[in-house]
Amino acid sequence: MESMNHGLGVDIAFLLLAALAVVTGWRVFRTDSMVRASFFLLVSFIAVGVIMILLAAEYLGVAMFFMMAVEMTVMALFMVMFMMNPAGLNPMNMVHQERIAIGAGVAGFLVLGAMALLAAFPDQPVPAGLEPVRSLGNEMLGDSMLIFESAGLVLLTTMIGVVVLSSHRGRYGAAAEGSMPPGLEPGSDPAGKPEEDEEGEHHHHHHHH
Amino acid sequence: MFSELFLPVLMVIFMLVVGGYAVAVLDRLVASALGTPQAGGIWLAPMARGAWLLTQHANATEAPDWRAWRLAPALYLALAASGLAVVPWSASLVATDLITSVVLWGSVEALATVVIFLHGWSANSLLALIGGYRYVALGLSYILISMFVLIGVALPAESLQFTQVVASQEGLWNVIRQPLGLPLFLIVGLGMTFWGPLNLADSTDLAGGTASEISGPPRLVWDMARAAMLVAFSGVAATAFLGGWLGPWLPGPLWMSLKMLAVLSVLLLLGRLLPRLAPERCVTLMWVVLLPLSFIDLVWAGAVALWE
Amino acid sequence: MAVNRLHKLASRGSVPVFPVLGKQGDGVLRHLALSPQIELVDSPRYASVLLVAGEIPADRFEPLRRVHDQLPYPFTTLWFRSEPWPHLERVARIDDLDDLPGALVTVHRELMEGRRDSAHRLLPDKPPNPWEGEGDFGQGGEGMMGGVPYGRPMAMNMADDIRDGLTLDSLTFRLGPFFFALPPGMAAEITLQGDLVQTWKTQLAPYPQPLDKVFFDARERPVPIAEVELARARHHLHRLFHALHLAGLENVSLRTLRLAHGLSTSSTLDGLRRALSRSGFFRLTAGGGALGPEQARMIGGPAARAAGMDDDLRSEDAGYRRLGFSPVYQAEGDTHARWRQLLDEIDQSLHLARLAERDKIHTERAGSVETPRGPWSERRPADASALFDELLPGLEWGDALATVASLDVAALADQPVGARPSGESRAVGGGTGSDV
């Protein structure tokens, strides 16, 4: 540590941010609302992101901000929208399967703590002419940039396609109109089809298994 | 120590105050030019309003999330400040010349979604909550488009740093080099700052949306933060597309201020001239029209960067 | 000292007023909107003065108390053509419309400069339901949720989504009777999923709306057609003003109002129409709410004509026939068609008024009249707010409110504009008279 040429301010900032990350991480499990839990987790991640910037990983740190921001918003919103709690403001118990969780937590802490104490970390000061963004890009993607970019685009298209397909509303009206679910076996009746259909009479005897 | 730590902070605070006031005055000027009479003098009215909000009490709702509710306006102001901190006023006059400042602006946009949702959610009130939901539903598309457009300006600069982006416009401003970029970015900017036609989070049909339940000092902070965010956005737009501090005769910071004022005026004028878009139309506009256009903009930017 | 200066500065701004509308109170909005000193606000949290305009019926006292208590301190109230409740201290009552803006400015200044005490809360400040939370997280029962910590059950009533199959938590709430985007006096119980209206139950019908006296006269005796048509155009312009405020077009809405105020046979609609179509009002804004034939017949008037019917009592009047009148109508019957219809009708009314004024033509058929609200022959147009219950489910919130703004559902009052409802001037003891 002494060999690095950073100031006292960086040390103080690191300690404060580390404390913030740990405290907000702990609050995730002690709060009583899903929205609060998600955003405590976000604060914890942001603190880690700032620590990464202090470690001269400027791209990774800043990327952490926006990735976690979007991720936690989506998570909070989906939980609120689907989990039957008026806007997540009614108090909820945020922990379950406590014994397993405690066990996993203790084990994880011991392993990581042992690594921090026992592993030999390289002592490499950041070279003066380092371009962190460029070197990170080369390190992670190298020659495969085109493949990764194409894969990213395909994923985005897939996501949009899935949303479009799963919506009940199609461009030409209700998507389910006139459609038939596939059968459970090849050539069998449409699955889960209500019996009082126009053709219900005809298929009636097939339904007795 | 002074120039490293305090000067940037002072600069950002100065921008927050002056910028917020400029937005308030400019918006009233635009309104009175369009035929809405303004009471009490255009220069004094923002101060009188601020003074009134300071004398008004902050109200309560039934069982809100107090911490989040009171923090959200301040956090939004802090985000606007972070945005202003990476806007360069000249090659050397910039509060934080982060090498990933373009990505930092992207994070500001993403975190703004969180803060706006939190503001609407924590009031424990119906119309505010709908406003928060609406912003999240639309915010994602704003962020995506804005990212693609900003990657476009990062390509010719071969850097994610705003100062480099400006330097790359020495010969030709990006507004000409990438003709789709600025219009796309301005529309997204209206959405991101939920202003005018894209003000769906704090809209009139929700009686103020996420801000419908706040009064007094929190409302003052929220209004200031919204104005400051608009200033930060116009700073980024001027930097990314209008050549930032570049320009003949005048000093750089002055050029930058003029360009920011121009962008601000366009945004405020659009805000007063257009009706509020229906949310569904807004979603269609973003995903069906603007997102493909931003792809084209990106491909265009890449092709031009290779050709140059 | 500094605090004094702050208060002095605060008193120099415009006056934020939250209007609570009683019967015949909505004219106040249109008067105050044109006063630059007054800022009409949509949320009680934004106001410094609560303006009670018009007589509030007893069944809306409780909501009024709740709205009253939502104004942040310091605030005060002003009652316009309405008797202040006797237990309120030092409350101002104003009866003259022209005095109102000045009085509002005065009470706000006095409040800011400390010469007037803030009003007090009327209701006790306690939650509507007792706290029933228990357990470590206050979740009030077994499991992750369960129990009713705020006296309210969890929203477990997940009805099928009627739009896209994405079933969300549904949220039931009551809105009105003082919500600015609903017709004055109307209240509804609404269930939303996301911002999609799942159910809409109109609980309080809007107040009957008074019309210009000329429509009442026209049933009795021949009246100048120019006068009838100008009153009709004015009524429609007033409705457009409210809708444009909702749509976020503040400048054009004020322009509409100014046109309505100075309306004469030489007025034209061209400028306003151009401003509207240029701003994209017909293409960009919220819409929907198409009426079926049955619904259109039920509401009648311009809304029915926007849905393709050409019923108009004016066609049966010889005076109108001499002016070459034939009804205009649209086909789609939705919100945007209703506004196009309204603009066309205003245009037509101005045209008819010009011709009728030149030739001094009077109505000839007594006993029935086509009011701006709909046909009035034997019976006055009745309240049609129940229409919303079937029309609004399935619309997004913005579309639903735009639809509400575009439909004139209130019944017709039995007295024209300006007629004082009987018994209003009765004396009330307790010294609660005007003190401004």
Side-chain angles (χ1 to χ4, degrees):
Chain A
M1 279 296 252
E2 299 85 58
S3 64
M4 288 196 175
N5 51 353
H6 57 66
L8 182 68
V10 176
D11 279 340
I12 296 174
F14 169 78
L15 287 175
L16 288 179
L17 288 163
L20 181 68
V22 171
V23 169
T24 46
W26 166 64
R27 290 306 302 169
V28 170
F29 299 98
R30 297 309 301 168
T31 188
D32 59 3
S33 145
M34 294 175 290
V35 173
R36 265 171 242 157
S38 313
F39 292 142
F40 273 129
L41 194 55
L42 175 61
V43 174
S44 184
F45 276 123
I46 287 177
V48 173
V50 180
I51 291 177
M52 287 165 91
I53 294 180
L54 290 182
L55 292 172
E58 294 192 11
Y59 182 81
L60 288 179
V62 177
M64 183 84 122
F65 296 165
F66 75 83
M67 279 172 52
M68 287 305 144
V70 175
E71 204 162 292
M72 293 303 148
T73 318
V74 171
M75 191 166 99
L77 202 73
F78 270 64
M79 289 196 302
V80 167
M81 288 195 303
F82 291 116
M83 282 196 53
M84 300 158 284
N85 184 344
L89 271 170
N90 260 3
M92 266 182 78
N93 182 357
M94 292 304 297
V95 288
H96 52 93
Q97 290 166 299
E98 286 154 60
R99 260 184 226 154
I100 303 175
I102 291 172
V106 170
F109 179 77
L110 288 180
V111 169
L112 290 175
M115 275 167 68
L117 288 176
L118 304 177
F121 289 101
D123 185 8
Q124 283 178 336
V126 178
L130 177 76
E131 292 182 72
V133 181
R134 193 180 296 271
S135 54
L136 179 72
N138 280 331
E139 177 70 28
M140 291 190 67
L141 300 174
D143 298 335
S144 321
M145 184 68 90
L146 188 65
I147 299 169
F148 272 92
E149 289 294 306
S150 322
L153 204 64
V154 170
L155 273 177
L156 180 66
T157 323
T158 315
M159 284 192 288
I160 296 175
V162 166
V163 173
V164 170
L165 287 178
S166 61
S167 170
H168 281 195
R169 258 185 329 177
R171 184 188 271 183
Y172 306 106
E177 201 169 294
S179 66
M180 291 251 191
L184 292 174
E185 296 149 27
S188 73
D189 285 337
K193 196 160 155 259
E195 297 201 6
E196 58 283 351
D197 218 73
E198 331 179 294
E199 295 166 328
E201 203 96 327
H202 175 69
H203 291 293
H204 228 135
H205 58 278
H206 287 298
H207 283 283
H208 304 285
H209 288 291
Chain B
M1 191 67 180
F2 175 78
S3 61
E4 254 182 42
L5 203 59
F6 291 106
L7 200 61
V9 172
L10 281 180
M11 216 168 107
V12 169
I13 291 175
F14 176 76
M15 272 316 295
L16 281 180
V17 175
V18 173
Y21 180 68
V23 168
V25 169
L26 212 55
D27 194 38
R28 282 174 168 82
L29 276 175
V30 169
S32 70
L34 290 174
T36 309
Q38 301 291 311
I42 282 169
W43 298 95
L44 189 68
M47 312 247 221
R49 186 186 170 77
W52 169 62
L53 285 174
L54 279 179
T55 59
Q56 196 187 33
H57 291 204
N59 63 286
T61 56
E62 186 202 340
D65 184 328
W66 280 109
R67 264 174 301 180
W69 201 28
R70 290 291 181 246
L71 264 179
L75 288 177
Y76 198 49
L77 192 67
L79 283 178
S82 319
L84 282 170
V86 295
V87 171
W89 292 84
S90 77
S92 54
L93 187 61
V94 46
T96 330
D97 198 11
L98 202 66
I99 55 162
T100 49
S101 48
V102 174
V103 191
L104 186 86
W105 174 254
S107 319
V108 166
E109 292 181 353
L111 288 167
T113 314
V114 173
V115 172
I116 295 164
F117 172 72
L118 207 57
H119 192 229
W121 170 80
S122 56
N124 194 12
S125 156
L126 176 94
L127 296 173
L129 178 71
I130 301 177
Y133 275 163
R134 265 193 195 170
Y135 190 84
V136 175
L138 294 164
L140 200 62
S141 53
Y142 304 150
I143 297 170
L144 274 181
I145 296 168
S146 148
M147 290 280 181
F148 285 126
V149 170
L150 285 179
I151 293 173
V153 302
L155 282 177
E158 297 184 19
S159 166
L160 292 171
Q161 197 169 13
F162 275 125
T163 41
Q164 295 299 313
V165 169
V166 175
S168 75
Q169 301 177 69
E170 198 80 62
L172 188 63
W173 290 1
N174 279 336
V175 64
I176 301 167
R177 184 150 51 187
Q178 301 166 12
L180 279 175
L182 186 60
L184 281 174
F185 197 57
L186 286 185
I187 299 176
V188 169
L190 281 178
M192 212 213 95
T193 54
F194 48 111
W195 204 272
L198 296 185
N199 181 2
L200 296 164
D202 282 9
S203 57
T204 41
D205 62 346
L206 298 174
T210 69
S212 62
E213 293 286 350
I214 55 171
S215 67
R219 183 155 176 241
L220 179 64
V221 176
W222 182 250
D223 286 354
M224 272 176 59
R226 288 193 60 194
M229 193 55 103
L230 204 65
V231 176
F233 173 81
S234 56
V236 170
T239 303
F241 294 100
L242 297 176
W245 67 78
L246 301 174
W249 311 306
L250 299 175
L254 198 58
W255 266 119
M256 186 64 192
S257 318
L258 289 177
K259 289 170 185 174
M260 278 171 75
L261 273 182
V263 175
L264 267 183
S265 312
V266 170
L267 291 177
L268 294 175
L269 196 65
L270 286 176
R272 291 273 172 181
L273 282 179
L274 296 176
R276 193 180 52 256
L277 233 66
E280 199 172 346
R281 265 168 224 269
C282 188
V283 172
T284 313
L285 177 77
M286 291 297 155
W287 288 94
V288 178
V289 184
L290 298 188
L291 194 63
L293 279 180
S294 70
F295 283 142
I296 295 175
D297 176 69
L298 190 55
V299 172
W300 175 287
V304 170
L306 283 179
W307 178 64
E308 278 179 351
Chain C
M1 192 62 205
V3 172
N4 264 342
R5 207 166 291 159
L6 190 70
H7 284 90
K8 201 141 232 143
L9 187 58
S11 72
R12 295 184 61 179
S14 54
V15 184
V17 176
F18 183 78
V20 161
L21 300 182
K23 285 177 178 165
Q24 299 217 9
D26 56 330
V28 165
L29 293 186
R30 299 188 282 270
H31 191 77
L32 293 179
L34 288 179
S35 326
Q37 285 291 315
I38 309 292
E39 185 196 354
L40 291 172
V41 294
D42 299 329
S43 163
R45 310 292 195 189
Y46 294 179
S48 145
V49 184
L50 179 77
L51 174 67
V52 182
E55 189 200 338
I56 305 284
D59 58 348
R60 282 146 175 111
F61 279 1
E62 194 52 39
L64 175 55
R65 273 187 210 110
R66 280 204 296 273
V67 170
H68 178 275
D69 282 6
Q70 282 180 38
L71 269 81
Y73 286 123
F75 72 102
T76 187
T77 60
L78 194 71
W79 295 60
F80 175 75
R81 291 188 190 160
S82 181
E83 197 51 51
W85 291 333
H87 57 277
L88 297 179
E89 304 150 31
R90 199 167 177 243
V91 172
R93 171 180 171 144
I94 296 286
D95 280 308
D96 190 347
L97 194 55
D98 292 323
D99 292 344
L100 187 59
L104 286 167
V105 172
T106 310
V107 291
H108 176 68
R109 292 243 162 104
E110 286 178 357
L111 193 67
M112 287 296 111
E113 288 165 4
R115 286 183 283 133
R116 171 185 279 273
D117 292 333
S118 171
H120 297 287
R121 302 268 181 252
L122 300 175
L123 301 169
D125 185 15
K126 63 175 172 58
N129 300 296
W131 170 253
E132 292 169 17
E134 49 185 75
D136 288 349
F137 293 86
Q139 80 270 24
E142 289 293 305
M144 286 180 79
M145 0 179 239
V148 280
Y150 289 109
R152 278 182 300 245
M154 295 275 182
M156 302 283 254
N157 51 334
M158 303 214 6
D160 262 351
D161 180 71
I162 43 186
R163 175 169 53 177
D164 50 13
L166 192 68
T167 309
L168 309 178
D169 232 5
S170 47
L171 200 56
T172 303
F173 62 98
R174 203 187 133 143
L175 203 65
F178 305 120
F179 185 61
F180 78 102
L182 298 183
M186 184 176 138
E189 191 179 85
I190 303 157
T191 303
L192 287 184
Q193 229 190 78
D195 75 343
L196 191 85
V197 178
Q198 195 86 16
T199 64
W200 182 292
K201 290 192 205 86
T202 304
Q203 290 188 324
L204 287 175
Y207 308 128
Q209 54 171 337
L211 278 187
D212 196 289
K213 193 164 176 305
V214 71
F215 295 105
F216 288 77
D217 294 344
R219 297 187 73 233
E220 315 287 324
R221 55 187 161 79
V223 291
I225 285 184
E227 221 175 285
V228 178
E229 291 308 313
L230 283 183
R232 185 188 314 281
R234 203 173 296 124
H235 179 94
H236 290 334
L237 284 171
H238 286 163
R239 291 194 41 229
L240 187 60
F241 154 70
H242 291 291
L244 290 177
H245 166 69
L246 180 68
L249 272 175
E250 214 53 52
N251 299 300
V252 191
S253 86
L254 288 182
R255 188 171 168 180
T256 309
L257 199 53
R258 271 184 231 116
L259 181 66
H261 269 239
L263 199 68
S264 72
T265 47
S266 54
S267 310
T268 63
L269 192 65
D270 298 347
L272 184 64
R273 195 190 271 272
R274 247 198 324 275
L276 275 182
S277 56
R278 231 187 262 151
S279 74
F281 176 67
F282 296 108
R283 278 168 286 126
L284 303 178
T285 55
L291 292 179
E294 200 52 49
Q295 296 165 325
R297 243 188 300 280
M298 178 182 153
I299 184 165
R305 289 194 284 279
M309 304 184 176
D310 61 351
D311 303 333
D312 194 321
L313 286 179
R314 286 178 286 178
S315 325
E316 296 165 21
D317 188 297
Y320 277 100
R321 272 206 295 276
R322 260 191 288 153
L323 292 172
F325 172 82
S326 69
V328 288
Y329 53 90
Q330 316 281 324
E332 299 89 348
D334 62 359
T335 296
H336 289 149
R338 281 191 283 278
W339 291 122
R340 277 197 299 275
Q341 171 73 16
L342 220 61
L343 286 180
D344 288 352
E345 291 209 9
I346 297 168
D347 244 348
Q348 187 185 38
S349 287
L350 290 175
H351 178 68
L352 288 171
R354 264 192 294 278
L355 292 182
E357 191 185 50
R358 193 189 60 198
D359 302 338
K360 307 228 168 349
I361 297 182
H362 286 56
T363 58
E364 296 184 7
R365 191 170 183 269
S368 68
V369 62
E370 179 75 24
T371 70
R373 165 68 182 82
W376 179 9
S377 36
E378 295 95 52
R379 288 183 25 219
R380 282 196 302 274
D383 177 73
S385 54
L387 194 67
F388 292 140
D389 300 10
E390 43 184 299
L391 194 61
L392 299 183
L395 293 181
E396 281 187 2
W397 183 247
D399 292 334
L401 288 189
T403 304
V404 169
S406 75
L407 282 167
D408 202 5
V409 292
L412 218 55
D414 54 0
Q415 278 177 318
V417 169
R420 295 281 176 89
S422 52
E424 201 215 14
S425 55
R426 70 185 186 276
V428 171
T432 53
S434 155
D435 59 357
V436 169

